[in-house]
Structures are given as C-alpha cells and as structure tokens.
Amino acid sequence: MKVAIVGGTAGLGFGLAVRLAHSGAEVVIGSRQAEKAVMAADAAAKASGAELQGGANPDVVAGAEAVIVAVPFPGQAPIYKGIKEALGPGTAVIDCTVPLASEVGGKATRLLGVWEGSAAQQARGILGKEIPLASAFHTVMAAALEDASHPIDQDILVCGDPPAKETARRVVELISGARFIDCGPLENARILESLTALLIGINIRNKLTPGAGIHITGL
Ligand SMILES: NC(=O)c1ccc[n+]([C@@H]2O[C@H](COP(=O)([O-])OP(=O)(O)OC[C@H]3O[C@@H](n4cnc5c(N)ncnc54)[C@H](OP(=O)(O)O)[C@@H]3O)[C@@H](O)[C@H]2O)c1
C-alpha cells in the first residue's frame, strides 16, 4: 500500500510515517520543501528500519492509495489547494487537522470555530465531493507513534466517506496495537477534532508522556 504523508516531516505525520513504514507500507513523506522531506525520510528510515522516500507535497501524493494530511490548521487550506490537482482517481484522503486555538495564540485545550463545522469539512469544501475523504488520528499523540517497537494499544476513531474510511481502516490496521473504529459520516469530524483538545488537557493535568489515548469499550 502506498501512503503519502503531507506534513510528514515532523509531529504526527512523522510518527505515522515511522509506524507505517515499519509495517511494510510504501511511505512517501511530503513537505513544502523537497529537501526537507528527503531528510525526514532518512530519519524515518533509521527509526523504522525500512526504506522511505521524500518529496514536495504535490509530487508525493500522485499515485498514492492513501494521502494523510497532518499539518497545522492555518496551513490546511493552502495545502489542499496545492495538492488537489495532483490527487488521482484511486486516492483517498485522510485528514488529521485539528483547529486548535493555540495555532492563533490561544490555548491548546480549546478549539477555534470553523465556518464549515470542522477542519475536515473545510477540506471537503476545497476538495469537492469527488475525492473520498476521511478524518482520523486525532486522539493519538505524535510521541506515542515514534517508537515502532511497541504497540500503541489505542483505538483510532475515523469518520468520513465510506470508501475513504475503508482505506483508513487498512492504514490503521498496519499500526501495531491500533483498532479502527467507524465513527460515521464526515460531519462527526467536529466531535473527533475536539477530542484532541480534551486529551491535551488530560495530558497537562496528569503530566502524561507520550500522552493519553482512547479505548471504546463494549464493542
Ligand atoms: N502532534 C500530535 O500529537 C497531534 C495529535 C493529534 C492531532 N494533531 C493535528 O495534526 C496536525 C499536525 O500536527 P503536528 O503537531 O504534527 O504539526 P507540526 O509538527 O507543527 O507540523 C507538521 C508539518 O506540517 C508542515 N507545516 C507546518 N506549518 C505549516 C503551514 N503553515 N502550512 C503548511 N504546512 C505546514 C511542516 O512541514 P514542512 O515544513 O516540511 O512543509 C511540519 O513539519 C495538526 O492539525 C494537529 O492539530 C497533532
């Protein structure tokens, strides 16, 4: 499975790159600067023991089965406008963006209001309905992903279009200890995105590293 990670040079995207490459996926890291992506791919190769490629964001998404977008909210709209034309017919997009208030000088435990309802729905507005879109990975912290030798033991909550959720399920199942949970349509992204702010607050109050995650019981 070929997975392109836009914004994969740091944070959540980098952690996902390490985990997915470790599990045998063909991972390509994207960046606004191709050289930075190549350096991140080298670092992820060392961390995962696998081979990765890197390149400019619009170049890496071409031909990928899954495109994971993991960038800060202020960069999300320009990133989607920059990659939209390069997305092929067989590609599903998995958005991880959270509109944290800390992106504009506020608290990381609070969310910004987004006109469309959520960051993922803002992405839908830019991409249109033809491109399958899911929203996922809001409740797993980057630090929990970086060491691929330990299972993460967390549920991954995913909402969106059925074909994109199916692709997301296959991505999630590559991560040791992760369980895919179908959370319904894309409109539920506003709930999932708010969980990041909630978990950041829990992490701060309990001084947690690498951070709390989510388990849905009773399934
Ligand atoms: N970190 C977490 O644990 C975590 C957990 C849940 C959800 N999230 C969400 O996932 C997204 C990524 O978070 P993160 O902590 O991984 O972010 P980050 O480390 O700050 O940034 C990730 C990458 O995004 C690119 N980027 C940064 N600013 C950008 C901008 N203005 N425009 C376009 N690209 C930009 C950079 O890549 P280049 O410079 O190489 O282009 C950077 O390496 C955020 O929306 C965050 O709320 C994060």
Side-chain angles (χ1 to χ4, degrees), residues 6-14 30-33 36-37 57 69-76 78-79 96-100 103 137-143 196:
V6 173
T9 51
L12 181 64
F14 183 81
S31 168
R32 291 167 293 177
Q33 303 162 56
K36 189 177 167 188
N57 288 326
V69 175
V71 298
F73 180 66
Q76 191 214 31
I79 283 288
C96 309
T97 314
V98 179
L100 292 175
E103 302 293 355
F137 295 115
H138 314 92
T139 59
V140 56
M141 299 299 139
T196 309

Side-chain angles (χ1 to χ4, degrees), residues 46-128:
K46 285 194 184 82
S48 65
E51 215 176 286
L52 295 89
Q53 306 296 319
N57 288 326
D59 295 335
V60 301
V61 303
E65 214 173 317
V67 170
I68 296 174
V69 175
V71 298
F73 180 66
Q76 191 214 31
I79 283 288
Y80 276 112
K81 288 174 187 165
I83 65 170
K84 181 182 176 183
E85 297 307 320
L87 294 169
T91 301
V93 174
I94 302 168
D95 186 75
C96 309
T97 314
V98 179
L100 292 175
S102 52
E103 302 293 355
V104 293
K107 293 187 174 183
T109 51
R110 292 181 181 168
L111 283 196
L112 297 169
V114 181
W115 182 264
E116 293 83 352
S118 64
Q121 288 165 294
Q122 175 172 273
R124 160 58 33 89
I126 296 166
L127 294 178

Side-chain angles (χ1 to χ4, degrees), residues 178-199:
R179 182 175 63 157
F180 168 91
I181 307 282
D182 184 344
C183 292
L186 198 70
E187 66 189 35
N188 286 343
R190 71 185 74 187
I191 302 170
L192 300 190
E193 291 171 13
S194 69
L195 295 176
T196 309
L198 185 75
L199 287 173

